[in-house]
Amino acid sequence: MNEGIQKEALSLQRSLTEHSYRYHVLDDPIISDAEYDGMLKRLMEIEEEFPELSVPDSPTKRVGAPPLESFEKAVHSVPMLSLDNAFNDQDVLEFHKRILRLTGQEGIYIAEPKLDGVAVELRYENGTLVRAATRGDGVTGEVITQNARTIRSVPLKLKEDKLKAPALLEVRGEVIIRKSDFEKLNQTRLENGESIFANPRNAAAGSLRQLDSKATAKRPLDIFVYGTGLVKGLEFKSHSAMLEILQGFGFPVNPNIGTGLSIAGILSAYKEFEALREGLPYEIDGMVIKVDDIALQRQLGEKIKSPRWAVAYKFSAQEKTTTIKDIVVQVGRTGVLTPVAILEPVNIGGAMVSRATLHNEDEIRRKDIRIGDKALVKRAGDVIPKIVKIFETERKGTEIPFEMPLQCPVCMSRIEKLKLDRSWVNKCVNASCQAQFKERIRHFVSKKAFDMEGLGRKIVDQLVEEGMIRSFVDVFTLEKEKLSGLERQAEKSAANLTEAIEKSKKISLPRFLYALGIQHTGENSAKLISQQFSSLDDIMAASVTDLESIHGIGPETASAVHGFFSNAENQAVIRQLLEAGVEIQNDRPQSPEPLDSPFYQKRVVLTGTLAAMARSEAQAMLEATGAVVTSSVSAKTDFLIAGADAGSKLDKARKAGVRILDETEFLAMVRQS
Ligand code: IVH
């Protein structure tokens, strides 16, 4: 082997490591995926020919190694403890009282998200990853080094830009799978006829326990580190200083960490984590409170299973077990039948849950859900509760499998089976089915449409059943007297409702368009169409080609909109609405002439934090120059405006070749228009 080859291999190993770090840890790549792949391919060729150059920390080791027969056991040098749980403020206050009594100090806490993944320990000797192990029972775990090497954000070698690697460093952290990666993973498994994972934690655990690390390499695993085990040749003054040092060595450390917190700060941090939870790209199940100072930690010491200096403040459970009492069929706005599980009511995270959607027949069959089954039910934020899994072992034999009705359960019309977005659905063929009509009215008055507060589910049911609402326009002619006569409708709320109805008559064009409930026309399409045409008349007169020429409007939406407005009955409904006093306000910003603004008719996405203004202000500014601001990046996006800490959208935009503007460039361009 000549020296040139050796040099080339070393240089490729170095730069691939650096680029992988920029991509997976910093979320800030500076070369394209293709360039990276090209370099990796070259390195693989060299290492194949000269195996002695294939060192354990070479980036080529990320793809997996020959399969194992079984996992070796590993005894942890320092036991991996668990944490005591706190479930309410009271529990946390008691934790704090103890700490205060023992240390006499205030403002000493650090708050971290409690990541819902799998704990691992990574051992580095003189900067090189030599062993990875699961937590196991805390004393003994399993050796999963080959698998850990496939996790792209796990450094195979410590970065030594700031500090020299110590002789020994054991780093602990949580291996996770991001929510979006989890969805994709399950989707692929479904398509391949494999069983799906119940949640990202199970998926991460299953992926780490593969005897064949090539299988692990295909799983989208990631890690955040939050602690150390045995360390030789390095000392930390505080937990926060340790995290900073670990970050310097190239480990991903969670960005949402609060330091120097008092007990009041801790309680408000918990509220912030609760609010953050839904929007985070990975699952967290609480907050971990730790005493920051290491000397104080030592003073406080530990119990057998858990330290006295930390506690996990758990979120209230989002999953509970209950019984499926019945499965009923709900008829949607477009006639699609959705089976719904009627549950023995349970309190999940502070809300009573008594129904869960079962999506469609296929889903019921796939999960083999039967009436009478015990089921794990999940509620995530304001999303409709769903069934995670059923407990087959709890079956008594009296459970009844579900059969899709052959007729619409409401109007008894024929049911048609058709394919919608890749899955089969059952649809009631009768467009005047009362159930469909109720849903159309619900949509019409909903928050994003006419926004009639007080016209809830039950009242709509009643009004339709009593014949007081037979078409959209009837909503506007509801009289106070008639309303207060309704069951459960006091006079005061009847007055409030009529007032809300009156107020709702002034409506923007996009909301109006959305309220009509035209197929394939959601909020965003309604906005795009309204931006293009200045009035409802123009939209009604538009041809399919006119509509299709709008950036972001596909052929299905274009023909649905055109079809809707060509229908004489629908035209009559619109006339009636206008006669009843509905006033469509075209609040479309007066778009400047095309040449005036570089953003005119361009699709723009905002991400990250802007220093100069709130995101909503930036959006308003962009819209005023004729831009269409959307929330997700696709190949059709023209610009991505990236503020500080931009994350996955920036990534996606880069891959899609979308033009990226930082805040300064963005402001300069706005000023120019
Ligand atoms: S510290 C002695 N920090 O929670 C300290 N643990 O119940 C022990 N976990 O096994 C761990 N996020 O899997 C710590 N920010 C965090 C954590 C965290 C999640 C998990 C970890 C641990 C379990 C303890």
Side-chain angles (χ1 to χ4, degrees):
M1 182 200 348
N2 64 34
E3 210 177 299
I5 285 284
Q6 202 167 356
K7 270 203 183 136
E8 186 184 356
L10 202 63
S11 141
L12 281 168
Q13 284 163 355
R14 278 214 191 106
S15 24
L16 283 164
T17 299
E18 182 61 22
H19 288 305
S20 169
Y21 169 74
R22 294 198 69 106
Y23 186 96
H24 294 285
V25 181
L26 300 185
D27 200 6
D28 184 24
I30 47 172
I31 62 169
S32 71
D33 292 8
E35 280 170 286
Y36 183 89
D37 293 343
M39 285 161 70
L40 186 63
K41 185 159 168 273
R42 172 68 188 140
L43 180 59
M44 272 155 67
E45 285 163 6
I46 299 178
E47 290 184 7
E48 181 128 337
E49 200 178 338
F50 306 102
E52 63 273 35
L53 295 177
S54 190
V55 291
D57 54 15
S58 166
T60 57
K61 292 290 187 288
R62 301 271 196 204
V63 295
L68 303 171
E69 293 276 321
S70 63
F71 292 112
E72 260 177 61
K73 297 272 182 252
V75 176
H76 299 293
S77 341
V78 179
M80 288 182 80
L81 299 180
S82 71
L83 294 167
D84 285 346
N85 287 327
F87 295 103
N88 49 48
D89 285 3
Q90 193 56 41
D91 293 348
V92 175
L93 286 172
E94 265 159 38
F95 164 79
H96 170 64
K97 261 202 261 166
R98 257 194 323 272
I99 303 272
L100 197 59
R101 201 179 58 229
L102 294 168
T103 68
Q105 295 200 44
E106 293 264 22
I108 54 171
Y109 300 119
I110 178 163
E112 300 173 353
K114 185 164 192 315
L115 303 154
D116 198 5
V118 182
V120 294
E121 180 176 77
L122 308 165
R123 176 190 283 177
Y124 292 83
E125 284 173 8
N126 298 312
T128 302
L129 176 66
V130 294
R131 188 185 86 175
T134 59
R135 175 172 180 275
D137 61 7
V139 176
T140 313
E142 285 176 328
V143 178
I144 49 148
T145 318
Q146 299 192 346
N147 293 349
R149 282 209 181 97
T150 70
I151 305 173
R152 302 296 198 266
S153 46
V154 166
L156 300 178
K157 211 178 173 56
L158 300 182
K159 285 175 83 67
E160 306 197 312
D161 311 350
K162 294 196 181 113
L163 271 182
K164 209 177 129 29
L168 177 72
L169 177 67
E170 289 180 346
V171 180
R172 293 170 176 182
E174 199 86 349
V175 171
I176 54 160
I177 290 187
R178 283 162 199 274
K179 293 173 188 169
S180 57
D181 288 331
F182 169 73
E183 295 299 334
K184 269 185 256 162
L185 176 63
N186 264 353
Q187 188 60 42
T188 320
R189 289 179 70 85
L190 209 56
E191 280 160 17
N192 297 340
E194 294 165 306
S195 64
I196 60 168
F197 292 109
N199 52 49
R201 175 173 22 86
N202 287 0
S207 305
L208 274 184
R209 291 203 81 263
Q210 296 288 324
L211 288 167
D212 182 1
S213 51
K214 291 206 168 63
T216 308
K218 295 199 186 100
R219 301 286 173 77
L221 296 171
D222 206 340
I223 193 171
F224 281 118
V225 303
Y226 49 63
T228 49
L230 190 63
V231 182
K232 287 185 187 157
L234 188 63
E235 270 191 55
F236 314 112
K237 272 188 91 66
S238 65
H239 184 76
S240 46
M242 168 181 71
L243 293 179
E244 213 175 301
I245 290 173
L246 293 181
Q247 191 158 30
F249 282 140
F251 293 97
V253 170
N254 194 281
N256 303 300
I257 293 182
T259 51
L261 299 177
S262 64
I263 181 65
I266 283 291
L267 297 181
S268 69
Y270 181 74
K271 294 261 172 300
E272 282 169 39
F273 276 121
E274 270 185 324
L276 204 60
R277 181 183 194 180
E278 196 60 25
L280 283 178
Y282 42 82
E283 303 265 13
I284 63 173
D285 58 349
M287 171 179 92
V288 183
I289 307 163
K290 297 174 179 173
V291 168
D292 198 11
D293 191 282
I294 304 276
L296 282 184
Q297 286 185 4
R298 291 225 177 86
Q299 185 192 329
L300 287 159
E302 46 217 25
K303 299 180 283 182
I304 296 169
K305 292 250 151 128
S306 56
R308 279 199 200 88
W309 46 264
V311 70
Y313 191 175
K314 299 281 286 258
F315 293 140
S316 41
Q318 298 290 104
E319 290 184 353
K320 281 267 179 77
T321 302
T322 187
T323 309
I324 299 174
K325 292 200 300 187
D326 197 4
I327 297 178
V328 300
V329 169
Q330 205 167 288
V331 186
R333 182 159 57 87
T334 55
V336 172
L337 306 193
T338 309
V340 174
I342 305 295
L343 309 169
E344 189 62 57
V346 268
N347 187 322
I348 310 183
M352 285 311 278
V353 173
S354 56
R355 298 160 78 87
T357 174
L358 297 171
H359 302 292
N360 54 45
E361 228 181 331
D362 290 349
E363 165 111 347
I364 298 185
R365 222 168 287 136
R366 193 158 49 74
K367 293 188 178 162
D368 189 22
I369 300 172
R370 303 183 191 175
I371 300 168
D373 269 337
K374 281 243 175 303
L376 186 65
V377 181
K378 177 181 178 137
R379 186 181 76 101
D382 49 13
V383 183
I384 315 160
K386 63 176 190 182
I387 304 237
V388 180
K389 63 171 179 186
I390 56 115
F391 299 98
E392 274 171 57
T393 49
E394 305 260 318
R395 282 204 174 134
K396 300 188 195 76
T398 50
E399 292 75 14
I400 307 163
F402 168 76
E403 300 264 359
M404 199 61 161
L406 301 169
Q407 290 178 317
C408 170
V410 177
C411 72
M412 303 301 162
S413 299
R414 191 166 55 80
I415 297 298
E416 202 174 49
K417 243 185 186 317
L418 43 95
K419 202 155 193 176
L420 206 81
D421 297 333
R422 287 204 269 176
S423 50
W424 287 96
V425 299
N426 295 279
K427 203 173 156 170
C428 162
V429 294
N430 172 17
S432 20
C433 169
Q434 194 185 66
Q436 291 185 40
F437 180 66
K438 282 179 182 168
E439 292 303 323
R440 280 202 289 276
I441 295 292
R442 278 191 193 111
H443 176 82
F444 187 76
V445 305
S446 68
K447 204 158 184 61
K448 291 175 177 172
F450 271 87
D451 190 17
M452 297 183 191
E453 216 191 309
L455 213 50
R457 187 170 193 94
K458 295 233 163 80
I459 302 186
V460 170
D461 278 352
Q462 244 181 321
L463 290 169
V464 172
E465 280 159 23
E466 309 225 341
M468 287 165 72
I469 298 183
R470 290 204 170 87
S471 81
F472 284 157
V473 72
D474 291 342
V475 176
F476 295 102
T477 53
L478 290 172
E479 287 151 31
K480 212 178 352 187
E481 294 69 39
K482 276 198 199 157
L483 276 173
S484 51
L486 285 178
E487 221 183 301
R488 295 158 24 91
Q489 188 73 10
E491 207 157 296
K492 175 81 178 108
S493 56
N496 286 346
L497 184 52
T498 29
E499 198 180 311
I501 293 173
E502 200 49 43
K503 236 174 60 195
S504 77
K505 284 184 181 169
K506 283 195 178 36
I507 188 170
S508 72
L509 184 55
R511 274 172 177 270
F512 182 84
L513 198 54
Y514 171 75
L516 297 174
I518 305 169
Q519 278 218 332
H520 308 293
T521 311
E523 215 190 339
N524 213 28
S525 307
K527 268 193 197 155
L528 290 173
I529 297 170
S530 309
Q531 230 139 15
Q532 186 70 22
F533 299 97
S534 41
S535 69
L536 180 63
D537 286 339
D538 286 355
I539 298 175
M540 291 178 77
S543 68
V544 175
T545 329
D546 291 339
L547 290 159
E548 247 191 279
S549 70
I550 303 174
H551 209 26
I553 297 294
E556 279 172 334
T557 306
S559 81
V561 171
H562 178 74
F564 183 91
F565 289 118
S566 317
N567 178 308
E569 267 174 56
N570 292 335
Q571 290 169 0
V573 168
I574 304 242
R575 252 192 326 273
Q576 288 165 2
L577 288 174
L578 299 177
E579 277 161 17
V582 171
E583 214 178 291
I584 303 170
Q585 312 200 309
N586 191 5
D587 59 2
R588 181 175 77 140
Q590 273 311 309
S591 299
E593 286 305 303
L595 286 178
D596 279 347
S597 162
F599 298 116
Y600 182 78
Q601 288 197 353
K602 293 284 190 265
R603 283 173 83 93
V604 183
V605 175
L606 285 157
T607 189
T609 317
L610 298 175
M613 67 189 88
R615 213 186 285 183
S616 53
E617 291 173 81
Q619 174 161 356
M621 250 162 105
L622 281 162
E623 283 175 349
T625 69
V628 179
V629 181
T630 62
S631 57
S632 59
V633 174
S634 75
K636 289 182 184 167
T637 308
D638 296 295
F639 294 101
L640 178 90
I641 296 166
D645 300 322
S648 60
K649 286 187 191 170
L650 180 56
D651 237 32
K652 206 166 166 197
R654 280 208 182 95
K655 282 186 194 144
V658 169
R659 183 155 169 215
I660 295 161
L661 305 175
D662 64 20
E663 185 168 358
T664 326
E665 290 169 301
F666 159 59
L667 290 175
M669 280 168 72
V670 169
R671 252 177 249 124
Q672 168 202 331
S673 46

